Amino acid sequence: MLSKTDLYKQRILKELCFGNTLSGTEISSRIEKSMPLTVRLLGELVNEDLVEEKGYAPSSGGRRPQIYALKPGKMYVVSVAMDQLVTRMAVIDMQHCDIICTEKIGLPLLKNPDVLEALANQLNKFIDNTAIARDKIIGVGIGMPGFVDVSKGINYSFLESQTNIVDFLEKRVGIPVHIDNDSSLIALAEFRLGAARGRNDVMVININWGIGLGLVLNGVLFRGCTGFAGEFSHIPLFVNNKLCTCGKSGCLETEASMLVVIEKAVEGLKKGRVSTMEALPEDIEEACHTIINAAIQGDTFAVELLSEAGYNIGKGIAVLIHVLNPELIVLSGRGASAGKLWLAPVQQAINNYCIPRLASKSELTVSAFHQRAELIGAAALVIENFDKRPVKNKVGRVLV
Amino acid sequence: MLSKTDLYKQRILKELCFGNTLSGTEISSRIEKSMPLTVRLLGELVNEDLVEEKGYAPSSGGRRPQIYALKPGKMYVVSVAMDQLVTRMAVIDMQHCDIICTEKIGLPLLKNPDVLEALANQLNKFIDNTAIARDKIIGVGIGMPGFVDVSKGINYSFLESQTNIVDFLEKRVGIPVHIDNDSSLIALAEFRLGAARGRNDVMVININWGIGLGLVLNGVLFRGCTGFAGEFSHIPLFVNNKLCTCGKSGCLETEASMLVVIEKAVEGLKKGRVSTMEALPEDIEEACHTIINAAIQGDTFAVELLSEAGYNIGKGIAVLIHVLNPELIVLSGRGASAGKLWLAPVQQAINNYCIPRLASKSELTVSAFHQRAELIGAAALVIENFDKRPVKNKVGRVLV
DNA sequence: TAGACTTTGTGATATTTTTAGGAAGTCGTA
DNA sequence: TACGACTTCCTAAAAATATCACAAAGTCTA
């Protein structure tokens, strides 16, 4: 349990982590505390050797502000990105918020009743290998696909036992654990550390085996009443008589996901479409890579496939723009590593299906995170929750 | 300009207005101020004769709390609901938040360059007629269709001159003025005083000449980055080759608005469909009434028409449920006066087009406001903004 | 009919904010 | 280039607000 002063200090550390380097005034306004209090807390954090003064920033028309930053090597986050097929782990130093060490293990989420047990073991082994003291790791963040109930710690789609993932892993690893849906985490990554930094109303599209959506509304991650907001993949947008995994037909997913792209690529090649891609690898992840790389190299067929998917995603985005009027749309997730290739077809669909007054207000961009988006998001989740633990005062009464 | 104490007092008055009667503890937590401070302010408000003590509430397991309420006849709000064709005005006593006096005038918004001038005159006349002292009227709230920029006071869709409506009317009437889009106001009415009271994530559907949408997300009215969120009417949902007023085809509006219902009714009657509605009145508003009343009386054709529209609206709602995972959906606005007739067809479409796990989390209900929704919303807008004016301290420096 | 346990209300104390003014810059102008 | 007007940043002292600790006034159970 924390004292109130400790809570404020954690807020400062969180803002410094997301903001990299900040002045006293900036920190004061971000943690919504007065300057005198903020300055006192910053002084204490410097004494505790967690924060350092980095000299003076250039003047913005007045006295130059002292700049503060986190000290490197003091606090770490472990992040985990799970998949139907593969699990990746990384350690992130809070100071520069980038991955210092990563590992890919063949731990599939799908049809794997012992996944939690295995994950706990792998996590412990991974942390031991890094040789970082456990008390320097402020938390473990885990991203996974499916319907995730953040507060109950349950993933309804996978892990059918419905055990509380958070409680289970915290007991086994001895470090605070946070979980969330992969698309929400990617949105968090873009919002806190990526293309959507400082924006208020953002939609982040997760181009993957399905089409995910993470929402930042009024400057906070929006999850909906039971945490299932952003089920973009299954909105009824087409009349195509294609059966979706969800049991319905006409879902966006049936016309736009990377799985559909791969399927169409296989079919096309079989029918003899000329392409630099002679044959696609069996492994679905590698097949996806192959197509994206071919497209980047300019392969006509590959570009065509991505454009078609992009146009369909754009039709879905057009609906969202009407409803939410976002300032920014970020294309992110696995598929987004194809980069700017997406922009034209998506924008084209937006122009076709949106009222011009709305379309012109929403900027469109592609993530720079490539494969790392989910891992960075999982770390951001831990930092996001860093100041959200129960607070006690001196006497021990719980306040928050 | 206000002192900080005055600001807190306004917050208390606002909460009392929306909450009707509240205990000290409830007020304290709603205005997020400590009990000692809240109690002191309440005492001052009682002395100023704006608030009265209403005795003790039943105990909830401990000491019984003192109950506070606004005094009637102390503060009023003028609200205005504008339309393409007609303008309605009302006065509302903050104490019971219901309409005490209303007037319908033939002031059309459409193709009317002098509408602001006329509105100012009508407002002054209306206020004079009520014989309520102007300093007892805390504000004028105005709802209108179209793209409304709340902060700039501009309606981009009508009033092409793009004058600042708020500034203009404030100068002419001498009372603070607030404007907003009709669908946002209806959502505000339901959120603060109606079916969505106390809920956090709500979608309010405005069934009218178009299909509007007002969103309450994370417990606040959501407007989007430029204030145009909720353009539900023009999402591309159908492939029907029907030209919409927006210039595109396939918009929800082309299959679901009350205008379409009337159109189909006229066609059907012409083709000889049997119905208790022999012929529809020329006046579009009365035609709408006729159909709704016939449906309520059980007329098969009328029920069929509303069901069809309801099913199409439901398809649109299904998309929203996937994206936003709301806890409650309220059908409101002009068309909703048909009441529970809407529920079955809308729910049917939701069941058809939604993933069951999501559909089951979202409650569906119909507004109880009938024709009064927009007027009540316009009043709620004024009260909502009652504590949002610039604050000065004793010395006169602006704080907020 | 105690005794344990609620919630509400209120002075005394502790925390936090605001004020007011000094420190340290920029910018325009004579 | 020197000076005044105007920024922004920082901080001690005063004012505002929250927390604490406990009394008041209830409910519920054994």
Side-chain angles (χ1 to χ4, degrees):
Chain A
M1 295 288 178
L2 302 163
S3 77
K4 221 170 165 185
T5 303
D6 290 335
L7 174 74
Y8 297 153
K9 285 186 186 174
Q10 294 197 335
R11 290 211 185 130
I12 291 177
L13 295 173
K14 169 175 163 180
E15 293 305 332
L16 281 174
C17 177
F18 285 140
N20 219 355
T21 59
L22 296 170
S23 71
T25 327
E26 280 171 322
I27 295 171
S28 163
S29 82
R30 286 197 189 204
I31 67 170
E32 295 181 296
K33 293 285 134 188
S34 69
M35 266 301 279
L37 179 56
T38 306
V39 168
R40 202 196 80 208
L41 295 169
L42 276 169
E44 289 180 28
L45 284 168
V46 170
N47 282 337
E48 291 164 25
D49 211 33
L50 292 172
V51 169
E52 55 186 351
E53 301 185 337
K54 303 287 277 185
Y56 296 94
S59 159
S60 60
R63 178 171 167 178
R64 281 157 36 188
Q66 178 62 256
I67 289 296
Y68 299 87
L70 294 182
K71 278 202 123 181
K74 295 291 176 177
M75 291 181 292
Y76 298 89
V77 176
V78 171
S79 71
V80 181
M82 300 188 81
D83 204 83
Q84 281 86 341
L85 309 168
V86 156
T87 292
R88 287 175 299 154
M89 295 181 180
V91 185
I92 287 161
D93 185 330
M94 269 182 74
Q95 194 256 327
H96 47 51
C97 263
D98 211 351
I99 294 167
I100 34 178
C101 157
T102 172
E103 191 172 310
K104 182 172 165 180
I105 53 177
L107 184 67
L109 196 51
L110 211 60
K111 293 172 190 167
N112 186 353
D114 301 326
V115 63
L116 278 188
E117 185 65 32
L119 179 59
N121 293 336
Q122 290 282 2
L123 261 174
N124 278 322
K125 203 158 59 172
F126 178 65
I127 292 170
D128 289 342
N129 281 343
T130 63
I132 293 171
R134 295 213 170 203
D135 61 351
K136 283 191 173 181
I137 300 174
I138 65 162
V140 178
I142 307 177
M144 43 180 80
F147 286 114
V148 177
D149 186 321
V150 175
S151 56
K152 289 184 188 159
I154 295 175
N155 186 325
Y156 291 104
S157 307
F158 304 92
L159 305 169
E160 294 175 30
S161 65
Q162 296 208 354
T163 36
N164 186 319
I165 302 170
V166 172
D167 283 356
F168 179 89
L169 289 177
E170 276 184 355
K171 266 183 204 131
R172 293 291 304 270
V173 183
I175 297 172
V177 172
H178 302 274
I179 65 170
D180 209 330
N181 167 275
D182 51 354
S183 296
S184 289
L185 288 191
I186 287 172
L188 194 62
E190 299 295 346
F191 174 49
R192 290 305 198 183
L193 298 160
R197 219 167 177 163
R199 303 300 192 102
N200 265 299
D201 300 307
V202 186
M203 306 181 335
V204 181
I205 311 291
N206 179 14
I207 305 174
N208 203 321
W209 309 135
I211 303 296
L213 169 67
L215 296 168
V216 173
L217 302 175
N218 283 331
V220 292
L221 194 64
F222 180 80
R223 287 194 170 86
C225 79
T226 52
F228 303 154
E231 257 312 317
F232 194 41
S233 228
H234 300 286
I235 63 172
L237 207 60
F238 298 93
V239 183
N240 60 7
N241 204 32
K242 285 187 195 170
L243 192 65
C244 178
T245 52
C246 75
K248 304 188 181 293
S249 72
C251 297
L252 174 61
E253 184 173 304
T254 62
E255 294 285 354
S257 77
M258 288 313 291
L259 280 180
V260 171
V261 169
I262 293 171
E263 223 168 79
K264 285 186 181 173
V266 171
E267 274 175 39
L269 292 176
K270 206 178 280 173
K271 283 182 187 163
R273 278 287 311 240
V274 289
S275 166
T276 56
M277 309 178 287
E278 287 159 18
L280 286 176
E282 272 293 310
D283 183 282
I284 207 167
E285 211 173 0
E286 283 176 36
C288 182
H289 267 123
T290 305
I291 297 173
I292 288 175
N293 285 332
I296 291 173
Q297 298 300 323
D299 181 85
T300 311
F301 182 43
V303 170
E304 196 179 287
L305 288 168
L306 294 186
S307 297
E308 213 175 303
Y311 188 85
N312 289 331
I313 292 172
K315 186 174 180 185
I317 291 176
V319 173
L320 298 182
I321 290 178
H322 280 105
V323 174
L324 296 173
N325 182 213
E327 58 183 309
L328 177 68
I329 300 147
V330 182
L331 304 175
S332 188
R334 170 176 273 112
S337 50
K340 296 190 173 178
L341 280 175
W342 290 104
L343 292 179
V346 172
Q347 187 67 57
Q348 181 69 34
I350 292 175
N351 295 342
N352 278 358
Y353 292 110
C354 251
I355 298 179
R357 188 184 296 285
L358 286 172
S360 65
K361 302 293 179 188
S362 295
E363 202 179 321
L364 179 69
T365 188
V366 183
S367 168
F369 283 145
H370 298 97
Q371 312 300 326
R372 304 181 342 272
E374 195 179 341
L375 280 174
I376 292 175
L381 176 70
V382 174
I383 298 159
E384 189 75 33
N385 282 290
F386 188 42
D387 60 351
K388 304 238 169 83
R389 279 175 282 174
V391 175
K392 273 196 178 182
N393 60 14
K394 287 175 195 164
V395 195
R397 189 188 300 184
V398 175
L399 298 177
V400 177
Chain B
M1 296 288 178
L2 302 162
S3 76
K4 221 169 166 185
T5 303
D6 289 335
L7 174 75
Y8 297 154
K9 284 186 187 174
Q10 294 198 335
R11 289 210 186 131
I12 292 177
L13 295 173
K14 169 176 162 179
E15 292 305 332
L16 281 173
C17 178
F18 285 141
N20 219 356
T21 60
L22 297 170
S23 72
T25 327
E26 280 170 322
I27 294 171
S28 164
S29 82
R30 286 197 190 205
I31 67 169
E32 295 181 294
K33 292 286 134 187
S34 69
M35 266 301 277
L37 178 57
T38 306
V39 168
R40 201 196 80 207
L41 294 169
L42 276 168
E44 289 181 26
L45 284 168
V46 170
N47 282 337
E48 291 164 26
D49 211 32
L50 292 172
V51 168
E52 56 186 350
E53 300 185 337
K54 303 286 276 186
Y56 296 94
S59 161
S60 61
R63 178 171 167 177
R64 282 161 32 189
Q66 178 62 254
I67 288 296
Y68 298 87
L70 294 182
K71 278 202 122 180
K74 294 291 175 179
M75 291 181 292
Y76 299 90
V77 176
V78 170
S79 72
V80 180
M82 300 189 82
D83 205 82
Q84 281 86 341
L85 309 168
V86 157
T87 291
R88 287 176 299 155
M89 295 181 181
V91 184
I92 287 162
D93 185 331
M94 269 182 75
Q95 194 256 327
H96 46 53
C97 263
D98 212 349
I99 293 167
I100 32 178
C101 157
T102 172
E103 191 172 309
K104 182 172 164 181
I105 53 177
L107 183 67
L109 196 50
L110 211 59
K111 293 172 191 169
N112 187 352
D114 301 326
V115 63
L116 278 188
E117 186 64 33
L119 179 60
N121 292 335
Q122 290 281 2
L123 261 174
N124 279 321
K125 203 157 64 173
F126 178 66
I127 293 171
D128 288 342
N129 281 343
T130 63
I132 293 171
R134 295 211 171 202
D135 62 349
K136 282 192 174 181
I137 300 174
I138 65 162
V140 178
I142 306 176
M144 44 180 80
F147 285 113
V148 177
D149 185 320
V150 175
S151 56
K152 289 185 189 159
I154 295 175
N155 185 326
Y156 291 104
S157 308
F158 303 93
L159 304 170
E160 293 174 30
S161 66
Q162 298 209 351
T163 36
N164 186 319
I165 302 170
V166 172
D167 283 355
F168 179 89
L169 289 177
E170 276 184 356
K171 266 182 206 134
R172 294 291 303 270
V173 184
I175 296 171
V177 172
H178 302 274
I179 65 170
D180 209 332
N181 166 276
D182 52 353
S183 295
S184 290
L185 287 191
I186 287 172
L188 195 61
E190 299 294 346
F191 175 50
R192 289 305 196 182
L193 298 160
R197 220 166 176 164
R199 303 300 192 104
N200 264 300
D201 300 306
V202 187
M203 304 180 337
V204 181
I205 311 291
N206 178 14
I207 305 174
N208 205 320
W209 309 135
I211 303 296
L213 169 67
L215 296 169
V216 173
L217 302 176
N218 283 332
V220 292
L221 194 63
F222 180 79
R223 288 195 170 86
C225 78
T226 52
F228 304 154
E231 258 310 319
F232 193 40
S233 228
H234 301 287
I235 63 172
L237 207 60
F238 299 94
V239 183
N240 61 7
N241 204 32
K242 285 187 195 170
L243 191 64
C244 178
T245 52
C246 73
K248 303 186 181 294
S249 72
C251 296
L252 173 60
E253 185 172 306
T254 62
E255 295 285 353
S257 78
M258 289 312 291
L259 280 180
V260 171
V261 170
I262 294 171
E263 222 169 82
K264 285 187 179 171
V266 171
E267 274 175 39
L269 292 175
K270 205 178 281 175
K271 282 183 187 165
R273 279 286 311 240
V274 290
S275 166
T276 56
M277 309 179 287
E278 286 160 19
L280 286 177
E282 272 293 309
D283 184 282
I284 206 166
E285 211 172 1
E286 283 176 34
C288 181
H289 268 124
T290 305
I291 298 173
I292 288 175
N293 285 332
I296 292 173
Q297 298 300 323
D299 182 84
T300 311
F301 182 43
V303 170
E304 197 179 286
L305 289 168
L306 294 186
S307 297
E308 212 174 303
Y311 188 85
N312 289 331
I313 293 172
K315 187 174 179 186
I317 291 176
V319 173
L320 298 182
I321 290 178
H322 279 105
V323 174
L324 295 173
N325 181 215
E327 59 183 309
L328 177 68
I329 299 147
V330 182
L331 304 176
S332 188
R334 170 176 272 114
S337 50
K340 296 192 174 178
L341 281 175
W342 290 104
L343 292 180
V346 172
Q347 187 68 56
Q348 182 68 34
I350 292 175
N351 295 343
N352 279 358
Y353 293 110
C354 254
I355 299 179
R357 188 185 297 282
L358 285 173
S360 64
K361 302 293 179 186
S362 294
E363 203 180 320
L364 178 70
T365 187
V366 182
S367 169
F369 283 144
H370 298 96
Q371 313 300 325
R372 305 182 340 275
E374 195 179 342
L375 280 173
I376 292 175
L381 176 70
V382 174
I383 298 159
E384 189 74 33
N385 283 292
F386 189 41
D387 59 352
K388 305 241 167 82
R389 279 176 283 174
V391 176
K392 273 197 179 181
N393 60 14
K394 287 175 193 164
V395 196
R397 189 188 302 185
V398 175
L399 297 178
V400 177

